[in-house]
Amino acid sequence: MNTKFKVKTVRTVTAPSNPNVTTYYAWTEFQDLPEGISLEVNPRKPKMNTSVAKQLISAVKSPDNGFELNNRGIVITANSFKFHTNDSMAELDLGDDPKKFGILDGGHTYQAIIDNRKYLSRDTKKYVKLEILVGEDLDVSALADARNTSAQVSDIALFELDDKFGFIKEAIKQEVYANDVAYKDNDNKRIPVIELLKLMFAFNIKRYPDDSSAPVSAYSGKASVFKDYKNSFDSNPNIYEQLALQLPKLVELYEKIETELPKKYQEFKNEEGRTGRFGSLRGVESNGTFSTLYTQQTLSHEISIGFILPIFGAFRALLKEKDGILKWNFDPIEIWEKAGLRLVQNTFDTDTNPQQVGKSKTLWQSNYRIVDSVQKDLLLAYYMEQQNK
């Protein structure tokens, strides 16, 4: 197999112990990564239904920058590699032996990118690092064995070593998903702890107390979410320790929105006399069997979090701190029943590209104002009722 593709930059290194082996480090955009590279060299065939693979797929679909920094990349053994500086095109020769040349390590990364890059908007630029080894003296078998026994340890996993997720575990210990949360890199569990951190970040009223700003990073910046959690840990009071107590309600609200969003979408379309099939929207899948992440409720559609989070985050308008304790002015589920249709309409009237929606500060702010408006109407009605007694 011989393929050409565009690369951003290339670095060349000769092995000090063996000058006959050259390693090329190349960074290429997701959309330029060539299809059809053999995976037969890799002793671990990609299994894309595991919790780790699902996290990887989520990272590919996410608009977060820095994928090439957080991911080890793809290791390829090749017959030859050439880089043409005049047009930034690389030429990769994989020879005729798929058991010798191909993807040695990073098969899951490769498969996740190939299968899911179509979900990225055209203006999203994400890169993956390729490590391409060329040389007649390559011991492919030994390399494969060595590369596939290594493992990265993330900042989140290191945080778990210090037992800094204890109050989260305590807060959700009675929930059905309590034992399904992965706090370590090698936990074969379906809910990465970062998903819980994102829910709390979206309700961080200490950092986002009103509609003047918005917790957009809950969608666009996983690293920013963890950094905020980490930086808040030694604060007194720690906002996340307060928010953790609200996790059961936050999960309930998130899944309520996720479950009912398709129906609300159709309702506002029907009210306006407009046609539109929810399942045909970008970022929405209708063919398959889907369930919610936490409680495994059946879903009619799989919906991009880009549509859900700007609606979900609006309900932080209902959360207030009193005497060091976070309390709800009104039950968010009840307010969802009153404001859900307006929120869904406002969201999809803004844009139907989930990546643009998820990153839109203006939308997050306007959705917040919708919830706050409903809340103020209820408070006014309550005070008027009290005065008339």
Side-chain angles (χ1 to χ4, degrees):
M1 176 183 175
N2 196 313
T3 184
K4 293 183 178 180
F5 58 102
K6 196 171 187 65
V7 295
K8 185 70 175 178
T9 187
V10 173
R11 296 290 181 268
T12 306
V13 178
T14 300
S17 61
N18 190 339
N20 293 320
V21 175
T22 302
T23 302
Y24 300 90
Y25 295 96
W27 287 262
T28 186
E29 197 175 329
F30 278 12
Q31 307 299 344
D32 295 321
L33 183 65
E35 295 186 25
I37 300 179
S38 173
L39 292 161
E40 289 189 40
V41 180
N42 193 328
R44 293 189 304 184
K45 304 306 177 187
K47 294 181 180 179
M48 305 310 292
N49 60 347
T50 66
S51 61
V52 173
K54 289 177 181 177
Q55 291 179 49
L56 187 52
I57 291 169
S58 178
V60 169
K61 289 183 177 181
S62 166
D64 287 4
N65 292 321
F67 182 91
E68 75 279 11
L69 299 175
N70 300 320
N71 182 274
R72 287 186 300 169
I74 301 168
V75 180
I76 301 172
T77 53
N79 187 45
S80 68
F81 178 83
K82 296 178 182 178
F83 176 59
H84 304 286
T85 56
N86 60 321
D87 57 3
S88 295
M89 294 296 290
E91 187 174 349
L92 181 67
D93 179 8
L94 295 171
D96 300 320
D97 187 353
K99 293 185 177 181
K100 182 177 181 182
F101 301 120
I103 294 176
L104 186 78
D105 188 26
H108 287 85
T109 296
Y110 179 73
Q111 203 65 54
I113 294 172
I114 294 299
D115 293 344
N116 297 281
R117 59 187 176 184
K118 60 187 176 185
Y119 296 111
L120 295 173
S121 62
R122 294 177 182 175
D123 60 341
T124 300
K125 305 293 185 183
K126 298 187 70 168
Y127 299 88
V128 62
K129 181 182 75 174
L130 306 180
E131 182 181 346
I132 303 163
L133 294 94
V134 176
E136 295 182 1
D137 296 342
L138 282 178
D139 186 339
V140 174
S141 178
L143 276 170
D145 184 57
R147 292 298 182 119
N148 282 278
T149 56
S150 61
Q152 286 181 311
V153 179
S154 70
D155 287 341
I156 291 179
L158 292 173
F159 224 53
E160 163 63 1
L161 291 177
D162 291 333
D163 196 27
K164 292 183 177 179
F165 295 122
F167 55 78
I168 294 178
K169 297 175 184 178
E170 179 67 21
I172 65 171
K173 67 181 181 181
Q174 300 299 329
E175 304 304 310
V176 296
Y177 49 85
N179 294 323
D180 296 320
V181 178
Y183 297 96
K184 300 177 181 178
D185 288 343
N186 59 352
D187 274 357
N188 189 25
K189 298 180 179 180
R190 57 185 179 80
I191 306 172
V193 68
I194 190 65
E195 298 302 320
L196 293 173
L197 301 188
K198 287 194 293 187
L199 297 187
M200 292 190 289
F201 181 87
F203 279 75
N204 187 344
I205 59 172
K206 182 177 181 180
R207 183 169 178 178
Y208 304 100
D210 50 40
D211 63 353
S212 63
S213 56
V216 179
S217 293
Y219 171 70
S220 63
K222 182 172 69 174
S224 297
V225 170
F226 178 69
K227 182 179 179 181
D228 193 62
Y229 179 84
K230 183 178 180 180
N231 291 342
S232 300
F233 198 82
D234 294 324
S235 302
N236 188 18
N238 177 358
I239 184 64
Y240 285 97
E241 191 166 2
Q242 296 170 301
L243 283 165
L245 297 175
Q246 304 300 330
L247 274 171
K249 179 60 72 173
L250 295 180
V251 168
E252 180 187 2
L253 174 63
Y254 185 92
E255 293 196 343
K256 182 77 168 175
I257 296 169
E258 184 179 25
T259 302
E260 296 186 0
L261 198 153
K263 181 181 177 182
K264 300 285 188 189
Y265 175 86
Q266 211 58 58
E267 282 180 19
F268 95 76
K269 285 290 185 180
N270 292 340
E271 282 188 3
E272 297 181 348
R274 295 156 62 184
T275 58
R277 192 171 67 85
F278 186 69
S280 65
L281 293 172
R282 184 191 304 183
V284 176
E285 288 289 336
S286 57
N287 297 321
T289 303
F290 312 112
S291 59
T292 60
L293 177 63
Y294 299 98
T295 64
Q296 299 286 275
Q297 296 178 59
T298 300
L299 291 171
S300 61
H301 299 77
E302 184 179 57
I303 307 168
S304 168
I305 62 171
F307 290 134
I308 302 172
L309 280 175
I311 297 174
F312 171 78
F315 289 84
R316 81 180 189 283
L318 307 175
L319 198 60
K320 303 298 177 186
E321 181 181 7
K322 185 176 181 180
D323 300 326
I325 300 174
L326 298 182
K327 296 182 178 180
W328 300 97
N329 288 337
F330 296 95
D331 187 334
I333 303 300
E334 294 179 9
I335 302 301
W336 162 252
E337 300 296 345
K338 296 179 181 297
L341 190 61
R342 288 172 59 190
L343 289 167
V344 172
Q345 181 175 5
N346 187 53
T347 299
F348 286 94
D349 278 349
T350 298
D351 206 311
T352 55
N353 181 332
Q355 295 201 38
Q356 298 303 320
V357 169
K359 293 186 290 185
S360 173
K361 178 183 176 182
T362 302
L363 172 62
W364 282 73
Q365 291 172 310
S366 61
N367 277 350
Y368 179 100
R369 291 171 191 139
I370 289 174
V371 172
D372 196 34
S373 174
V374 172
Q375 171 179 231
K376 288 175 179 176
D377 288 344
L378 290 173
L379 286 171
L380 180 61
Y382 172 78
Y383 291 134
M384 291 293 290
E385 181 182 341
Q386 294 299 307
Q387 285 184 348
N388 292 331
K389 284 184 177 180

